[in-house]
Amino acid sequence: MTAPDPDGLLAEQLLRLTRRVHRIQKRHLEHRDLGITPAQSRLLRTLAHWGSPPRMADLAERLEVVPRAVTTLVDGLEAAGKVRRVPDSANRRVIRIELTDDGRAALRELRGARRSAAEEILAPLTDEQRAVLGGLLDTLIDGPDPGEGRRTA
């Protein structure tokens, strides 16, 4: 008989939660009929955090995808009027990507869809449970405090 594997169970739970989050967010996006895929949504959110329009290579690095994937995403968003390619003022060979007014409006809708999805997912939790979950997620996202020792079995 094998011993229970609590870390394996946690890993499976995290994977199942991640799939559920993606499924619910996708449904909320589709409900708002924005015509934006989750990958395009991620690119728009990433683009919004830049102080000035980034290069495609910068977006690819930040999104941790190959440049060709960014080209495809930008092509679709440009065709939908959400972003535009603009020449770099210092180097005419460089193309930068910027949000359009329609892109900023889409981002507001996307934020609403994500908020609605989060509310649906978190609905079963009490305020105290949400606070605990937030702390746990911060720890997982940021990694362990370098001054702390590793958990022992």
Side-chain angles (χ1 to χ4, degrees):
M1 181 170 186
T2 59
D5 179 9
D7 288 340
L9 176 61
L10 283 173
E12 180 60 29
Q13 288 173 310
L14 284 172
L15 290 172
R16 288 175 52 209
L17 177 60
T18 301
R19 285 191 297 266
R20 182 168 184 250
V21 167
H22 284 284
R23 214 173 32 252
I24 290 171
Q25 284 186 342
K26 185 177 179 184
R27 181 170 36 84
H28 281 266
L29 280 175
E30 289 169 352
H31 179 72
R32 290 179 184 246
D33 199 28
L34 295 172
I36 295 174
T37 67
Q40 289 173 330
S41 167
R42 185 170 173 235
L43 186 138
L44 286 174
R45 288 192 321 271
T46 301
L47 194 54
H49 291 298
W50 240 283
S52 61
R55 299 173 309 137
M56 300 265 260
D58 299 329
L59 284 168
E61 184 177 326
R62 179 77 55 93
L63 293 169
E64 297 178 343
V65 298
V66 297
R68 178 69 192 128
V70 171
T71 301
T72 302
L73 292 171
V74 168
D75 286 348
L77 288 168
E78 187 176 39
K82 308 295 187 227
V83 301
R84 71 177 143 253
R85 289 172 165 94
V86 294
D88 184 287
S89 58
N91 182 346
R92 63 188 175 113
R93 294 175 302 181
V94 174
I95 299 295
R96 297 193 174 268
I97 308 303
E98 70 179 11
L99 284 169
T100 63
D101 289 340
D102 283 350
R104 283 186 274 285
L107 266 174
R108 286 189 293 276
E109 284 292 316
L110 290 168
R111 285 185 189 111
R114 292 180 73 211
R115 196 172 307 110
S116 296
E119 288 170 9
E120 181 179 333
I121 291 163
L122 298 173
L125 301 180
T126 65
D127 289 344
E128 183 179 324
Q129 288 171 322
R130 289 176 188 215
V132 169
L133 177 62
L136 293 171
L137 291 173
D138 283 343
T139 300
L140 293 174
I141 292 166
D142 297 337
D145 181 349
E148 290 183 22
R150 193 156 149 71
R151 177 177 70 115
T152 58

